[in-house]
Amino acid sequence: MPPEEPDAAPHVIVCGLHDEGVRVVQQLHAAGVEVVVVDAEPDLRLVPLLTEIGVRHLVADSRMPETLRAAGIDTAAALVCVESDDLQTLATALLGRQLRPDLRVVAQMRNEAVGRALEGTGVAVLDVARLSAPAVVRACLRTDRWSLRVADRDVVMVEASCRRDGTLRDLFGDLSPIAVAHADGPVEVTPGRDLAVARGDRVHLLGTPAEVDAAGLAPRRRPAVAEFVGARAGRPDRPHRDPWLRVLLRDLDRRVKHAILALMCLAAVSVTVLMLGYEEADGRRMSFLDALYFTVETIGTVGYGDFYFRDQHGWLRVWAILLMVVGATLATVFFALLTNALIARRIEESLGRRRITGLTDHVIVVGLGSIGVESVRMLRAEGVEVVVVERDQTNRFLGELNALRVPVVAADATLPDTWRQLRLEHARAVAVLISDDLVSIETALAVRELLGERWAEVPVVVRVFGRRLAATVEQSFGFRHVRSPAVLAAPWFVGATLGVEVVDTFYVGDLPLLLAKLTVRAQGGLDGVTLADLPAQVRIVVLQRADGVIEQPPRRDTRLRADDNAYLVGPYDELIALVRADAAVV
């Protein structure tokens, strides 16, 4: 059945019905934008969602000109390419630019080199892994303070705990409150400074570094992660390692340990026997050092001829024979086992699978997909030790991890035996970034059980696609850090589609929030509007006037004017709806 002819009204074409694609479609639809979806092989579990919200879907190849024309590219306002395959994304984006050189094209591209080249053609290129990994890393390291670049100045987003009852104004002065996560559960977005809070409530605030320092909001623990969207923060201290001798003894192969123990026992018996039985012609006996020297040279088959047994008792000569035979045998076995262990270790290192030896205060990353490897890069850039668990021994990212000297354990993360190799008892955080939701939840439950009493203090970040499922998992299993890469990244795609610059996405409790830059459009819906008239859950935290003057924070009676740059914070659906009302491109 041929597809219906598109309406004449401007709309957005979204190519790719997968995790990111469906979130982009849902957010565009919630903002009142008409959407047409194109995908030849859609994720069947997501197709009913399109029917539910009334979005038209073309089952066709987006790389064909006739497909994009059937989707209405001639009248479309934007083309969003979020296919699961980079090659198909590249072909679709280039075709869109060829058919409509003036069309706004936004593409998801995992390959950095191809992405840079595609940007040169005028395409806005985004990477879900780079957009969502910072939130994962912040949760792992419990970062409560990070920097952002807003209106050509550095500002700080900080999460603080209320130490006593009072109002936000009393506790934090003029810092802009972004959200309050009450200890009893609910989250209030963009509250007023006169909101009463209780001890133990968590508050997200924004201000300049000087204002934050003046409020006494020092980092909760040593700086652990830089802001990956704005300015970099300080580099943390190197993680603690166990003493090398303890590590060596603990991680040696058991057979090598047995060989060492046997040699030591033999040497101890030999030294004792020689000190008691060996006697020179003048009556002198062997000293401890002489006995140890003779024992070592005999076991080592060196034999310098320093001591002679021709005139010794027969039983002592028999002992010397036994020492030569047994000692040489044990030494040979020891060196063979040691050589085997060293070669096996070298092979593991060459394959990027080094053993986990002596690490403490490290982060365990489960799943080596694009988000997993990006999280590893960010953690290593900050000097944090990382251990990776990946079942697929042919994973294409193993070579990169080998270059970063990140050990990889090729095993099933749902099995308790795997975690015994990872030194979970010494880890500072666990990030379960498996793309399969069921396996991800199963792995996280296994980690919770193994952590025992440490469950409350060790962050366990769990990747789950569905926002509804994520909320259910948090409530049912007590997970505190459930993250959806699609939810985090989708606002960036929607913002690029609508001509809005997204600055940051972050979580407050289980609620994702968005910080974005909006340029007020002349004669638009916000031109002449006061801040007090904005939706309750949207706040302008920084206002840069057209003449360059910066107001931070602006007053509630401030009136917006054309060409002002407003930096807004709020839930992405309300914020994007506000942007749509003022400067919609569709």
Side-chain angles (χ1 to χ4, degrees):
M1 180 177 178
E4 301 176 4
E5 290 297 321
D7 297 333
H11 57 281
V12 172
I13 302 173
V14 177
C15 297
L17 185 61
H18 300 279
D19 290 359
E20 293 79 23
V22 73
R23 294 300 172 209
V24 171
V25 170
Q26 288 176 327
Q27 292 186 18
L28 286 171
H29 181 267
V33 179
E34 183 184 353
V35 184
V36 176
V37 176
V38 178
D39 196 326
E41 298 179 355
D43 188 334
L44 296 180
R45 64 190 173 93
L46 301 178
V47 173
L49 295 177
L50 300 184
T51 304
E52 182 180 338
I53 62 178
V55 171
R56 192 159 63 95
H57 175 214
L58 302 182
V59 182
D61 192 340
S62 61
R63 295 168 293 184
M64 305 300 294
E66 54 269 25
T67 299
L68 293 185
R69 290 195 179 97
I73 193 171
D74 294 334
T75 59
L79 172 66
V80 182
C81 305
V82 285
E83 285 98 345
S84 56
D85 180 74
D86 275 359
L87 182 59
Q88 185 169 352
T89 297
L90 175 64
T92 302
L94 292 177
L95 176 61
R97 296 292 293 172
Q98 180 181 356
L99 296 176
R100 279 275 309 278
D102 63 326
L103 183 66
R104 176 176 291 148
V105 180
V106 182
Q108 144 74 356
M109 186 62 61
R110 300 170 184 83
N111 188 293
E112 296 181 21
V114 176
R116 288 192 296 269
L118 192 57
E119 284 181 329
T121 66
V123 175
V125 177
L126 299 172
D127 180 10
V128 171
R130 289 182 177 273
L131 298 176
S132 56
V136 173
V137 174
R138 290 174 195 158
C140 282
L141 303 183
R142 293 197 277 193
T143 306
D144 56 4
R145 175 173 174 165
W146 65 95
S147 299
L148 297 166
R149 191 69 177 172
V150 174
D152 300 325
R153 64 166 58 180
D154 291 331
V155 298
V156 175
M157 185 80 72
V158 60
E159 180 185 356
S161 178
C162 298
R163 299 179 180 177
R164 58 182 175 85
D165 296 351
T167 66
L168 293 175
R169 191 186 305 275
D170 294 335
L171 297 175
F172 305 108
D174 291 332
L175 292 176
S176 300
I178 303 302
V180 176
H182 292 285
D184 55 1
V187 174
E188 292 191 50
V189 180
T190 63
R193 290 186 180 85
D194 295 323
L195 176 71
V197 291
R199 181 178 180 180
D201 290 350
R202 302 293 299 177
V203 184
H204 278 69
L205 306 126
L206 186 139
T208 65
E211 291 171 342
V212 173
D213 291 338
L217 299 179
R220 181 171 49 200
R221 50 176 56 195
R222 69 179 185 271
V225 62
E227 167 54 37
F228 304 108
V229 180
R232 293 178 62 85
R235 188 178 294 274
D237 298 332
R238 294 291 296 178
H240 170 73
R241 283 178 176 269
D242 287 347
W244 67 270
L245 182 59
R246 186 188 304 171
V247 172
L248 178 64
L249 294 176
R250 182 179 59 235
D251 295 300
L252 276 177
D253 185 272
R254 180 178 300 177
R255 294 172 299 176
V256 177
K257 293 180 182 178
H258 289 168
I260 293 175
L261 181 61
L263 283 171
M264 292 177 64
C265 291
L266 179 64
V269 173
S270 175
V271 169
T272 302
V273 170
L274 291 173
M275 290 179 64
L276 296 176
Y278 188 89
E279 185 177 357
E280 296 284 0
D282 56 3
R284 289 183 302 170
R285 294 186 179 276
M286 271 191 181
S287 66
F288 172 79
L289 185 59
D290 288 339
L292 180 62
Y293 170 75
F294 177 79
T295 299
V296 173
E297 74 171 355
T298 303
I299 293 176
T301 66
V302 179
Y304 293 110
D306 306 85
F307 300 94
Y308 299 92
F309 282 70
R310 183 178 57 187
D311 298 327
Q312 301 298 319
H313 297 288
W315 67 267
L316 192 58
R317 281 182 285 172
V318 172
W319 169 253
I321 294 172
L322 290 175
L323 179 62
M324 295 176 193
V325 175
V326 176
T329 301
L330 285 177
T332 302
V333 171
F334 167 73
F335 284 115
L337 292 174
L338 183 61
T339 301
N340 180 70
L342 293 174
I343 293 176
R345 176 69 60 83
R346 184 59 182 166
I347 292 174
E348 290 174 348
E349 290 184 357
S350 66
L351 296 175
R353 302 183 181 93
R354 294 189 291 120
R355 291 185 183 178
I356 316 306
T357 56
L359 284 182
T360 60
D361 202 34
H362 57 290
V363 175
I364 302 172
V365 176
V366 184
L368 197 55
S370 57
I371 297 173
V373 75
E374 188 62 31
S375 299
V376 171
R377 287 175 189 156
M378 293 180 176
L379 289 166
R380 291 298 298 126
E382 295 306 314
V384 178
E385 295 286 359
V386 184
V387 176
V388 173
V389 184
E390 171 56 45
R391 182 184 299 183
D392 183 9
Q393 300 186 36
T394 62
N395 188 288
R396 64 190 181 96
F397 294 116
L398 289 177
E400 181 175 351
L401 294 194
N402 185 33
L404 293 172
R405 298 190 62 79
V406 173
V408 179
V409 175
D412 185 347
T414 62
L415 302 177
D417 288 342
T418 299
W419 293 95
R420 295 189 181 97
Q421 307 176 48
L422 303 173
R423 295 176 58 81
L424 177 62
E425 66 276 12
H426 298 289
R428 68 188 295 180
V430 179
V432 183
L433 305 178
I434 303 171
S435 57
D436 187 306
D437 283 356
L438 181 59
V439 178
S440 184
I441 295 171
E442 182 183 3
T443 302
L445 289 173
V447 173
R448 185 184 69 172
E449 181 177 352
L450 292 170
L451 282 173
E453 295 180 355
R454 296 187 68 224
W455 165 252
E457 64 184 59
V458 177
V460 178
V461 184
V462 187
R463 171 183 174 173
V464 175
F465 164 69
R467 185 175 178 183
R468 185 177 303 173
L469 176 60
T472 303
V473 167
E474 286 184 330
Q475 296 170 6
S476 302
F477 301 130
F479 294 144
R480 304 179 301 279
H481 306 286
V482 180
R483 299 291 182 261
S484 170
V487 170
L488 287 167
W492 297 78
F493 286 90
V494 175
T497 303
L498 300 180
V500 178
E501 180 183 341
V502 177
V503 178
D504 193 21
T505 53
F506 57 96
Y507 271 84
V508 176
D510 60 352
L511 179 65
L513 296 181
L514 178 67
L515 172 61
K517 172 186 174 183
L518 168 66
T519 300
V520 179
R521 180 169 168 263
Q523 306 301 319
L526 294 181
D527 191 4
V529 172
T530 63
L531 270 59
D533 295 329
L534 296 178
Q537 288 194 310
V538 174
R539 165 168 294 166
I540 296 179
V541 292
V542 178
L543 180 62
Q544 185 179 33
R545 294 295 191 178
D547 57 4
V549 176
I550 296 177
E551 300 179 23
Q552 180 188 347
R555 299 174 58 88
R556 286 179 57 83
D557 58 357
T558 298
R559 193 173 297 276
L560 299 175
R561 298 191 296 266
D563 297 326
D564 287 347
N565 290 325
Y567 291 84
L568 307 99
V569 174
Y572 58 79
D573 49 355
E574 289 198 18
L575 194 149
I576 291 176
L578 180 66
V579 172
R580 171 85 170 111
D582 176 71
V585 296
V586 294

